């Protein structure tokens, strides 16, 4: 079984039918025996940051559907610790959270672009042993998280790009139909 840890990307198996996670790539921010937390990277929400966050009125940065848990909360990943303090470095220059007032100030001053920060509505969460069970069922493939994938400019290509990063036989999976029986 793959070595799960913070900073990994879970790639939904091409045949996974769960509507919450079909053809998704999830960046794991925290993985412990007691549970795991991550964000779906490739599902854009239908509102912008400015439409959801009062202090960012007029900001057209996209917001992504982070997962089905606590969808009334906003989270963020960034690569700008020089502007946002208090974040947790998950892996290689990718930070989770930080001082939100600094986020607002940096965006309003034009110091942050939408390629430097990603906002998520809700998160993906797994309880004690749940994710390990899904791994045994082969629901997920695992690759290393990196800034290229987490901040990829076209969210519709993240799942494919994550599979390509695995190389070899996995690259062929990008062309598999969702239901091969219908092919």
């Amino acid at each position: 079984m793959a070595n799960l840890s913070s900073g990994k990307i879970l790639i939904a198996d091409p045949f996974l039918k769960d509507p919450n996670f079909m053809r998704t790539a999830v960046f794991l921010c925290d993985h412990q025996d007691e549970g795991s937390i991550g964000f779906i990277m490739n599902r854009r929400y239908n509102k912008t940051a400015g439409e959801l966050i009062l202090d960012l009125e007029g900001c057209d940065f996209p917001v992504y559907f982070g997962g089905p848990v606590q969808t009334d909360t906003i989270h963020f990943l960034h690569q700008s610790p020089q502007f946002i303090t208090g974040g947790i470095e998950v892996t290689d220059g990718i930070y989770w959270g930080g001082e939100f007032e600094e986020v607002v100030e940096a965006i309003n001053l034009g110091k942050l672009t939408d390629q430097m920060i990603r906002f998520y509505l809700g998160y993906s969460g797994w309880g004690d042993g749940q994710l390990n069970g899904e791994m045994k069922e082969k629901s997920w493939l695992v690759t290393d998280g990196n800034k290229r994938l987490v901040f990829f400019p076209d969210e519709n290509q993240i799942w494919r790009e994550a599979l390509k990063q695995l190389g070899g036989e996995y690259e062929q999976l990008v062309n598999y139909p969702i239901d091969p029986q219908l092919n």
Side-chain angles (χ1 to χ4, degrees), residues 36-49:
S36 304
I37 293 174
F39 300 102
I40 297 172
M41 300 184 300
N42 60 328
R43 291 240 173 105
R44 191 183 281 220
Y45 191 63
N46 62 0
K47 295 196 182 297
T48 64

Side-chain angles (χ1 to χ4, degrees), residues 9 11 25 143 149 157-166:
I9 292 177
I11 307 165
T143 191
L149 286 175
Q157 296 301 315
I158 293 174
W159 182 80
R160 292 174 180 270
E161 290 297 315
L163 278 171
K164 287 180 186 177
Q165 182 171 292
L166 289 174

Side-chain angles (χ1 to χ4, degrees), residues 105-149:
E105 180 180 359
I107 290 173
N108 287 334
L109 292 174
K111 293 180 179 178
L112 286 178
T113 68
D114 62 356
Q115 291 302 306
M116 300 163 78
I117 189 166
R118 288 283 194 271
F119 292 102
Y120 300 93
L121 193 61
Y123 66 90
S124 300
W126 294 266
D128 188 6
Q130 186 180 3
L131 185 53
N132 287 331
E134 291 180 16
M135 295 302 296
K136 288 178 186 162
E137 294 169 359
K138 300 193 182 320
S139 296
W140 301 101
L141 300 166
V142 179
T143 191
D144 292 328
N146 56 59
K147 288 192 268 190
R148 186 182 86 77
L149 286 175

